[in-house]
Amino acid sequence: MSFEKQRDEVAALCKKLLADGAVSRVVGFREGGVEGMSLPYIFTDPAGVDMLTWNSRCLPNLNGYLTGGEGNTAIVAKPCDARAVVALISEKQLRREDIHIIGLVCDGMVDANGDPLPACVECSVNCPPVYDDLIDDPDVAEKTGGEQVSNDTSLERFEAEIDKCILCFSCRQACYGCYCQTCFMDRGSPGWQPTVPGRGDKMLYHAGRTMHLAGRCVECGACENACASGVDIRYLIREVTNFVGELYDYRAGMDLDARPAMLSYAAGDREVGFLGGDGDGH
């Protein structure tokens, strides 16, 4: 990818948007993170945009920084970030007229060792589906499908991943879709917590979060990237995402006009996931 060329185009555009008053702030990236990871940063001054960076370590999902500001906001958006913006608009968490999407064609991010991130390897979307400005890259070939991954959904695999978890909630904090003011895990919780969380608590949390992301996950991998314990529960969310796609022909964040699958109902909806049978609504 031509990161440097894209970065120069993004910086020039951001300076113009700020100078012209088209937006009051730009949510993007700057250098300074651990192991070379770029940091989220909010630019409000055209002169400050010189600090903006765009490279293979721009991992964080920036959508958590889109609320709370005054005036229109621009976001430097990878395809998964743009999909998250679309999903938040569909769920009435953002207004389309308040967000200026600077979409970047992306071939994927890498970890500290330079290896492609699992979510990026599996990704089949390298061009933002919705944008106001697009920063293209002719060196990036259009994807026709993500790489095949293990389909092991056994209880043994789930337990093995659960046992790594320390219930720190980093995955929740990194996820664009976890925007509830009070998480279901925190409601009614006492002011103290056990030193070592039980397997049951961890299963409840991860299974519950998976169901809450049904038809909403934009496959950005932020949860996996944020986990310090190497827990891979994203495969569960991926299975639910694929299930919703096959059942309702819906994929989160791809179409502003599409009503989220879990927020719509039709009498003829297939219900194989809940009632079994022939799957045609009978």
Side-chain angles (χ1 to χ4, degrees), residues 89-149:
I89 292 171
S90 299
E91 295 179 9
K92 310 301 183 185
Q93 299 301 308
L94 296 173
R95 299 193 310 167
R96 179 66 181 97
E97 58 267 30
D98 293 339
I99 308 297
H100 188 103
I101 303 173
I102 303 172
L104 292 100
V105 170
C106 174
D107 204 23
M109 300 286 109
V110 301
D111 62 19
N113 297 318
D115 297 321
L117 295 174
C120 296
V121 171
E122 299 163 20
C123 177
S124 60
V125 181
N126 59 5
C127 182
V130 177
Y131 54 82
D132 294 290
D133 292 290
L134 179 66
I135 309 300
D136 203 349
D137 185 345
D139 294 335
V140 176
E142 181 178 357
K143 291 187 176 181
T144 57
E147 183 172 303
Q148 295 297 313
V149 295

Coordinates of all heavy atoms in Angstrom, one line a residue, residues 89-149:
I89 N -25.2 5.2 12.7 CA -26.3 6.0 12.1 C -27.6 5.2 12.0 O -28.6 5.7 12.4 CB -25.8 6.5 10.7 CG1 -24.7 7.5 10.9 CG2 -27.0 7.2 10.0 CD1 -24.1 7.9 9.5
S90 N -27.5 4.0 11.6 CA -28.7 3.1 11.5 C -29.3 2.9 12.9 O -30.5 2.7 13.0 CB -28.3 1.7 10.9 OG -27.8 1.9 9.6
E91 N -28.5 2.9 13.9 CA -29.0 2.7 15.3 C -29.3 4.0 16.0 O -29.6 4.0 17.2 CB -28.0 1.8 16.1 CG -27.9 0.4 15.5 CD -26.8 -0.4 16.3 OE1 -26.4 0.0 17.3 OE2 -26.5 -1.5 15.8
K92 N -29.3 5.1 15.2 CA -29.7 6.4 15.8 C -28.8 6.9 16.8 O -29.1 7.7 17.7 CB -31.1 6.4 16.3 CG -32.2 5.8 15.4 CD -32.3 6.5 14.1 CE -33.4 5.9 13.2 NZ -33.4 6.6 11.8
Q93 N -27.5 6.5 16.8 CA -26.5 7.0 17.7 C -25.7 8.2 17.1 O -25.1 8.9 17.9 CB -25.5 5.8 18.1 CG -26.2 4.6 18.7 CD -26.9 5.0 20.0 OE1 -26.3 5.6 20.9 NE2 -28.1 4.6 20.1
L94 N -25.8 8.3 15.8 CA -25.1 9.4 15.1 C -26.1 9.9 14.0 O -27.0 9.2 13.6 CB -23.8 9.0 14.5 CG -22.7 8.5 15.3 CD1 -21.5 8.0 14.5 CD2 -22.1 9.7 16.2
R95 N -25.9 11.2 13.6 CA -26.7 11.7 12.5 C -25.8 11.8 11.3 O -24.6 12.4 11.4 CB -27.3 13.1 12.9 CG -28.2 13.1 14.1 CD -29.0 14.4 14.1 NE -28.1 15.5 14.1 CZ -28.6 16.8 13.9 NH1 -29.9 17.0 13.7 NH2 -27.7 17.8 13.9
R96 N -26.2 11.4 10.2 CA -25.4 11.4 9.0 C -24.9 12.8 8.7 O -23.7 13.0 8.2 CB -26.2 10.8 7.8 CG -25.4 10.8 6.5 CD -24.3 9.9 6.5 NE -23.5 9.8 5.3 CZ -22.3 10.5 5.1 NH1 -21.9 11.3 6.1 NH2 -21.7 10.4 4.0
E97 N -25.7 13.8 8.8 CA -25.3 15.2 8.5 C -24.3 15.7 9.4 O -23.6 16.8 9.1 CB -26.6 16.1 8.5 CG -27.3 16.2 9.8 CD -28.4 15.2 9.9 OE1 -28.4 14.1 9.3 OE2 -29.4 15.5 10.6
D98 N -24.0 15.1 10.5 CA -23.0 15.6 11.4 C -21.6 15.0 11.2 O -20.6 15.4 11.8 CB -23.3 15.3 12.9 CG -24.6 16.0 13.3 OD1 -24.8 17.1 12.7 OD2 -25.2 15.6 14.3
I99 N -21.5 13.9 10.3 CA -20.3 13.2 10.1 C -19.8 13.3 8.7 O -20.5 13.0 7.8 CB -20.5 11.7 10.5 CG1 -21.1 11.5 11.9 CG2 -19.2 10.9 10.4 CD1 -20.2 12.1 13.0
H100 N -18.5 13.7 8.5 CA -17.9 13.7 7.2 C -16.9 12.5 7.2 O -15.9 12.5 7.9 CB -17.1 15.0 7.0 CG -16.6 15.2 5.7 ND1 -17.2 16.1 4.7 CD2 -15.5 14.7 5.0 CE1 -16.5 16.0 3.6 NE2 -15.5 15.2 3.8
I101 N -17.2 11.6 6.3 CA -16.4 10.3 6.3 C -15.3 10.5 5.2 O -15.6 10.6 4.0 CB -17.3 9.1 6.0 CG1 -18.4 9.0 7.0 CG2 -16.5 7.8 5.9 CD1 -19.4 7.9 6.6
I102 N -14.1 10.4 5.7 CA -12.9 10.4 4.8 C -12.5 8.9 4.7 O -11.8 8.4 5.5 CB -11.8 11.3 5.3 CG1 -12.2 12.7 5.6 CG2 -10.6 11.2 4.3 CD1 -11.2 13.6 6.2
G103 N -13.0 8.3 3.6 CA -12.7 6.8 3.5 C -11.4 6.6 2.8 O -11.0 7.2 1.9
L104 N -10.7 5.6 3.4 CA -9.4 5.2 2.8 C -9.5 3.7 2.3 O -9.9 2.8 3.1 CB -8.3 5.3 3.8 CG -7.9 6.7 4.2 CD1 -8.5 7.0 5.6 CD2 -6.4 6.9 4.3
V105 N -9.1 3.5 1.1 CA -8.9 2.1 0.6 C -7.8 1.5 1.5 O -6.8 2.1 1.7 CB -8.6 2.1 -0.8 CG1 -8.2 0.7 -1.3 CG2 -9.8 2.6 -1.7
C106 N -8.1 0.3 2.0 CA -7.1 -0.3 2.9 C -6.9 -1.8 2.6 O -7.8 -2.5 2.3 CB -7.7 -0.2 4.3 SG -6.8 -1.0 5.6
D107 N -5.6 -2.2 2.7 CA -5.3 -3.6 2.5 C -5.0 -4.4 3.7 O -4.5 -5.5 3.7 CB -4.0 -3.7 1.6 CG -3.9 -5.0 0.8 OD1 -5.0 -5.6 0.6 OD2 -2.8 -5.3 0.4
G108 N -5.3 -3.7 4.9 CA -5.2 -4.4 6.2 C -4.1 -3.8 7.0 O -3.1 -3.2 6.6
M109 N -4.2 -4.0 8.3 CA -3.2 -3.6 9.3 C -2.4 -4.8 9.8 O -2.7 -5.9 9.5 CB -4.0 -3.0 10.5 CG -4.8 -1.8 10.2 SD -3.9 -0.3 9.9 CE -4.2 -0.1 8.1
V110 N -1.3 -4.5 10.5 CA -0.4 -5.6 10.9 C -0.1 -5.4 12.4 O -0.4 -4.4 13.0 CB 1.0 -5.5 10.2 CG1 0.8 -5.6 8.7 CG2 1.7 -4.2 10.5
D111 N 0.4 -6.5 13.0 CA 0.7 -6.5 14.4 C 2.1 -5.9 14.6 O 2.8 -5.5 13.7 CB 0.6 -7.8 15.1 CG 1.5 -8.9 14.5 OD1 2.5 -8.6 13.8 OD2 1.2 -10.1 14.7
A112 N 2.6 -6.0 15.9 CA 4.0 -5.4 16.2 C 5.1 -6.1 15.5 O 6.2 -5.6 15.3 CB 4.2 -5.4 17.7
N113 N 4.8 -7.4 15.0 CA 5.9 -8.2 14.3 C 5.8 -8.0 12.8 O 6.5 -8.6 12.1 CB 5.7 -9.6 14.7 CG 6.0 -9.9 16.2 OD1 6.9 -9.3 16.8 ND2 5.1 -10.7 16.8
G114 N 4.8 -7.2 12.4 CA 4.6 -7.0 10.9 C 3.7 -8.0 10.3 O 3.6 -8.1 9.0
D115 N 3.1 -8.9 11.1 CA 2.2 -9.9 10.5 C 0.8 -9.4 10.4 O 0.3 -8.7 11.3 CB 2.2 -11.2 11.4 CG 3.6 -11.8 11.5 OD1 4.3 -11.9 10.5 OD2 3.9 -12.3 12.6
P116 N 0.1 -9.8 9.3 CA -1.3 -9.3 9.1 C -2.2 -9.7 10.3 O -2.1 -10.8 10.8 CB -1.7 -10.0 7.8 CG -0.5 -10.3 7.1 CD 0.5 -10.6 8.2
L117 N -3.0 -8.8 10.7 CA -4.0 -9.1 11.8 C -5.0 -10.1 11.3 O -5.4 -10.0 10.2 CB -4.7 -7.8 12.3 CG -3.8 -6.8 12.9 CD1 -4.6 -5.5 13.2 CD2 -3.2 -7.3 14.2
P118 N -5.4 -11.0 12.2 CA -6.4 -12.0 11.8 C -7.7 -11.5 11.1 O -8.1 -12.0 10.1 CB -6.7 -12.8 13.1 CG -5.5 -12.6 13.9 CD -5.0 -11.2 13.6
A119 N -8.2 -10.4 11.7 CA -9.4 -9.8 11.2 C -9.2 -9.3 9.8 O -10.1 -9.3 8.9 CB -10.0 -8.8 12.1
C120 N -8.0 -8.7 9.6 CA -7.7 -8.2 8.2 C -7.5 -9.3 7.2 O -7.8 -9.1 6.0 CB -6.5 -7.3 8.4 SG -6.7 -5.8 9.4
V121 N -6.9 -10.4 7.6 CA -6.7 -11.5 6.7 C -8.1 -12.0 6.3 O -8.3 -12.4 5.1 CB -5.9 -12.7 7.4 CG1 -5.9 -13.9 6.6 CG2 -4.5 -12.2 7.7
E122 N -9.1 -12.1 7.2 CA -10.4 -12.6 6.9 C -11.3 -11.6 6.2 O -12.3 -11.9 5.6 CB -11.1 -13.0 8.2 CG -10.3 -14.2 8.9 CD -10.8 -14.3 10.3 OE1 -11.9 -13.8 10.7 OE2 -10.0 -14.9 11.1
C123 N -10.9 -10.3 6.2 CA -11.7 -9.2 5.7 C -11.9 -9.3 4.2 O -11.0 -9.7 3.4 CB -11.1 -7.9 6.0 SG -11.9 -6.5 5.3
S124 N -13.1 -9.0 3.7 CA -13.4 -9.1 2.3 C -13.9 -7.7 1.8 O -14.4 -7.5 0.7 CB -14.6 -10.1 2.0 OG -15.7 -9.7 2.7
V125 N -13.7 -6.6 2.6 CA -14.1 -5.3 2.3 C -12.9 -4.3 2.4 O -12.5 -4.1 3.5 CB -15.2 -4.8 3.2 CG1 -15.6 -3.4 2.7 CG2 -16.4 -5.7 3.1
N126 N -12.3 -3.9 1.3 CA -11.2 -3.0 1.5 C -11.4 -1.6 0.9 O -10.6 -0.8 0.9 CB -9.9 -3.6 0.8 CG -10.1 -3.8 -0.7 OD1 -11.2 -3.5 -1.2 ND2 -9.1 -4.4 -1.3
C127 N -12.7 -1.3 0.6 CA -13.1 0.0 0.2 C -14.3 0.4 1.0 O -15.3 -0.4 1.1 CB -13.5 0.1 -1.3 SG -13.9 1.7 -1.8
P128 N -14.3 1.5 1.7 CA -15.5 2.0 2.5 C -16.7 2.0 1.7 O -16.8 2.5 0.6 CB -15.1 3.4 3.0 CG -13.6 3.4 2.9 CD -13.2 2.5 1.8
P129 N -17.8 1.4 2.2 CA -19.1 1.3 1.5 C -19.8 2.7 1.4 O -20.6 2.9 0.5 CB -19.9 0.3 2.2 CG -19.4 0.4 3.6 CD -17.9 0.6 3.5
V130 N -19.5 3.6 2.3 CA -20.1 4.9 2.4 C -19.0 5.9 2.7 O -18.2 5.6 3.6 CB -21.2 5.0 3.4 CG1 -21.8 6.4 3.5 CG2 -22.3 4.0 3.1
Y131 N -18.9 7.0 2.0 CA -17.9 8.0 2.3 C -18.3 9.3 1.7 O -19.2 9.4 0.8 CB -16.5 7.6 1.7 CG -16.6 7.2 0.3 CD1 -16.5 8.2 -0.7 CD2 -16.7 5.9 -0.1 CE1 -16.5 7.9 -2.1 CE2 -16.7 5.5 -1.5 CZ -16.6 6.5 -2.5 OH -16.7 6.2 -3.8
D132 N -17.7 10.4 2.2 CA -17.9 11.7 1.5 C -16.7 12.1 0.6 O -16.8 12.7 -0.4 CB -18.0 12.8 2.6 CG -19.3 12.6 3.5 OD1 -20.3 12.9 2.9 OD2 -19.2 12.2 4.6
D133 N -15.5 11.6 1.0 CA -14.3 11.7 0.2 C -13.6 10.3 0.3 O -13.6 9.7 1.4 CB -13.4 12.8 0.7 CG -13.9 14.2 0.5 OD1 -14.0 14.6 -0.6 OD2 -14.3 14.8 1.6
L134 N -13.1 9.9 -0.8 CA -12.4 8.6 -0.9 C -10.9 8.8 -1.2 O -10.6 9.5 -2.3 CB -13.0 7.7 -1.9 CG -12.4 6.3 -2.1 CD1 -12.5 5.5 -0.8 CD2 -13.0 5.5 -3.2
I135 N -10.0 8.3 -0.4 CA -8.6 8.3 -0.7 C -8.3 6.9 -1.2 O -8.1 6.0 -0.5 CB -7.8 8.6 0.6 CG1 -8.3 9.9 1.3 CG2 -6.3 8.8 0.2 CD1 -8.3 11.1 0.4
D136 N -8.1 6.9 -2.5 CA -7.9 5.6 -3.2 C -6.5 5.2 -3.2 O -5.6 5.9 -2.8 CB -8.4 5.7 -4.6 CG -8.8 4.3 -5.2 OD1 -8.5 3.3 -4.6 OD2 -9.4 4.3 -6.3
D137 N -6.2 3.9 -3.6 CA -4.8 3.4 -3.7 C -4.8 2.4 -4.8 O -5.3 1.3 -4.6 CB -4.3 2.8 -2.4 CG -2.9 2.4 -2.4 OD1 -2.3 2.3 -3.6 OD2 -2.3 2.2 -1.4
P138 N -4.3 2.7 -6.0 CA -4.3 1.8 -7.1 C -3.5 0.5 -6.8 O -3.6 -0.5 -7.6 CB -3.7 2.6 -8.2 CG -2.9 3.7 -7.6 CD -3.6 4.0 -6.3
D139 N -2.6 0.6 -5.8 CA -1.8 -0.6 -5.5 C -2.6 -1.7 -4.8 O -2.1 -2.8 -4.6 CB -0.6 -0.2 -4.6 CG 0.4 0.6 -5.4 OD1 0.4 0.6 -6.6 OD2 1.1 1.4 -4.8
V140 N -3.8 -1.3 -4.3 CA -4.6 -2.3 -3.5 C -5.6 -2.9 -4.5 O -6.5 -2.3 -5.0 CB -5.4 -1.6 -2.4 CG1 -6.3 -2.6 -1.6 CG2 -4.4 -1.0 -1.4
A141 N -5.5 -4.2 -4.6 CA -6.5 -5.0 -5.4 C -7.8 -5.2 -4.7 O -7.8 -5.4 -3.5 CB -5.8 -6.3 -5.8
E142 N -8.9 -5.1 -5.5 CA -10.2 -5.3 -4.9 C -10.3 -6.8 -4.4 O -10.0 -7.7 -5.0 CB -11.3 -5.1 -5.9 CG -12.7 -5.2 -5.4 CD -13.8 -4.9 -6.4 OE1 -13.4 -4.5 -7.5 OE2 -14.9 -5.1 -6.1
K143 N -10.8 -6.9 -3.1 CA -11.0 -8.2 -2.5 C -12.3 -8.8 -3.0 O -13.3 -8.2 -3.2 CB -11.0 -8.1 -1.0 CG -9.7 -7.7 -0.4 CD -9.7 -7.8 1.1 CE -8.4 -7.5 1.8 NZ -8.4 -7.6 3.2
T144 N -12.2 -10.1 -3.2 CA -13.4 -10.9 -3.6 C -13.9 -11.8 -2.5 O -14.9 -12.4 -2.6 CB -13.1 -11.7 -4.9 OG1 -12.0 -12.6 -4.6 CG2 -12.7 -10.8 -6.1
G145 N -13.1 -11.9 -1.4 CA -13.5 -12.7 -0.3 C -12.4 -12.9 0.7 O -11.2 -12.8 0.3
G146 N -12.8 -13.1 1.9 CA -11.7 -13.2 2.9 C -11.2 -14.6 3.0 O -11.7 -15.6 2.3
E147 N -10.1 -14.8 3.7 CA -9.5 -16.1 3.8 C -10.3 -17.0 4.6 O -10.9 -16.6 5.6 CB -8.1 -15.9 4.4 CG -7.3 -17.2 4.5 CD -5.8 -16.9 4.9 OE1 -5.2 -16.1 4.3 OE2 -5.4 -17.5 6.0
Q148 N -10.3 -18.3 4.3 CA -11.0 -19.3 5.1 C -10.3 -19.5 6.5 O -9.1 -19.5 6.6 CB -11.0 -20.7 4.4 CG -11.8 -20.6 3.0 CD -13.3 -20.3 3.3 OE1 -13.9 -20.9 4.1 NE2 -13.8 -19.4 2.5
V149 N -11.2 -19.7 7.5 CA -10.7 -19.8 8.8 C -11.3 -21.1 9.4 O -12.2 -21.7 8.9 CB -11.1 -18.6 9.7 CG1 -10.4 -17.4 9.2 CG2 -12.6 -18.4 9.7

